[in-house]
Amino acid sequence: MWWKSNDGFFLTDLLLSLSAWLIATTILLPLAIYLIGQSIDLRHGTDALHLLYERLQEIKLGTPPTGIDTVEKNGAVFNYKIVHHESESVMEVCVEYNGYFSEKRSKCAFTE
């Protein structure tokens, strides 16, 4: 019969397909991890910008707070740092946060 003359074909086919999966996984898995990290960094950056502009609006509308405030949003801890420059009537607001790969990042803006 036809299937009795194909001894060992299943084993080589299995090994070939497993090696193809292994090569594809070693190439695509680090890329996927990197892209997930980049998307989390992007989300934290936009959250920091939203918090920064909210704080700038609060300063413009009311009495300016001083000091450092901490806010947790979407699993990230954001530290507000408000600096008042004595020589000018300008205040600087900075939002500091940790990135996905544990590097410090900050977004800063000045009031008018």
Side-chain angles (χ1 to χ4, degrees):
M1 300 202 134
W2 180 75
W3 61 83
K4 288 186 179 182
S5 64
N6 290 329
D7 293 332
F9 178 72
F10 179 74
L11 181 63
T12 57
D13 187 33
L14 178 70
L15 290 176
L16 184 64
S17 63
L18 287 178
S19 65
W21 277 105
L22 182 67
I23 290 171
T25 304
T26 56
I27 291 172
L28 295 178
L29 190 63
L31 182 63
I33 292 171
Y34 179 75
L35 289 176
I36 289 170
Q38 290 294 319
S39 68
I40 290 172
D41 274 344
L42 184 64
R43 185 172 59 228
H44 287 175
T46 56
D47 287 342
L49 278 176
H50 285 283
L51 293 172
L52 176 70
Y53 288 123
E54 286 175 7
R55 180 59 71 166
L56 286 173
Q57 286 178 350
E58 289 175 5
I59 289 172
K60 193 162 191 152
L61 293 176
T63 59
T66 58
I68 297 175
D69 295 330
T70 303
V71 173
E72 185 174 346
K73 186 175 183 182
N74 290 335
V77 177
F78 298 98
N79 293 321
Y80 289 111
K81 183 179 175 185
I82 301 169
V83 179
H84 181 68
H85 298 286
E86 297 294 331
S87 63
E88 304 167 1
S89 63
V90 175
M91 293 181 69
E92 180 183 16
V93 178
C94 289
V95 177
E96 296 175 348
Y97 62 97
N98 288 331
Y100 182 73
F101 298 109
S102 298
E103 66 260 4
K104 282 280 204 189
R105 301 206 179 215
S106 65
K107 304 281 183 176
C108 296
F110 291 99
T111 61
E112 295 177 0

